[in-house]
Amino acid sequence: MSTELTLAVWILIIALVQIFLPAMFRNRETGLDYNAGPRDEAGPPVGIITGRLQRAQHNLFETLPLFLAAIIIAHITGREGTLTLTGAWIYVIGRVLYIPAYGFGIPYIRSLIWGVSLAGLVLIILALLT
């Protein structure tokens, strides 16, 4: 399996982590009984950290399909190379760094990290076009 595909697997693992992180924080806010039940009534308000982790998760899910599609297209068409490898690493590292940056509420740096990860995605797409 190519490094790019391996990084795609790792980003899926990161996505799972980003599903569980806000769920764990929400369990602390509501208790297990509420989350195990049907949640017919609204629970307590979402806490600050939980909200940040939920937004970070949604942010990943906006670009994740694009990343996976680009990696799969690069692999199928035999376009994997320096640009796709560099782009994949930048994207994955950026997405990993984005979680604590958003969770801790670090302004500007969080946005910079997001931009860098997006640049990694753009590199992969550029490799497909050249």
Side-chain angles (χ1 to χ4, degrees):
M1 183 161 59
S2 70
T3 303
E4 289 91 330
L5 288 174
T6 301
L7 289 169
V9 172
W10 277 107
I11 203 68
L12 293 175
I13 293 167
I14 292 164
L16 287 174
V17 168
Q18 285 200 252
I19 289 169
F20 287 114
L21 274 175
M24 289 174 9
F25 276 82
R26 189 66 177 149
N27 275 340
R28 286 192 215 170
E29 296 166 358
T30 62
L32 290 175
D33 289 340
Y34 174 78
N35 277 338
R39 294 182 237 167
D40 292 331
E41 296 179 19
V46 174
I48 292 171
I49 303 297
T50 303
R52 289 176 185 167
L53 292 172
Q54 287 173 340
R55 290 188 297 277
Q57 175 198 59
H58 294 146
N59 185 274
L60 171 65
F61 290 173
E62 290 174 353
T63 60
L64 181 60
L66 303 174
F67 173 77
L68 294 174
I71 292 296
I72 292 167
I73 292 167
H75 183 74
I76 290 171
T77 61
R79 298 277 200 163
E80 291 171 317
T82 304
L83 275 181
T84 59
L85 182 60
T86 303
W89 272 112
I90 290 171
Y91 179 82
V92 170
I93 291 169
R95 295 313 314 188
V96 168
L97 294 175
Y98 190 79
I99 300 166
Y102 208 142
F104 289 115
I106 304 170
Y108 303 109
I109 299 297
R110 182 196 87 218
S111 297
L112 177 65
I113 292 169
W114 176 84
V116 168
S117 72
L118 194 62
L121 179 57
V122 169
L123 282 178
I124 299 165
I125 293 169
L126 285 175
L128 298 174
L129 296 173
T130 59

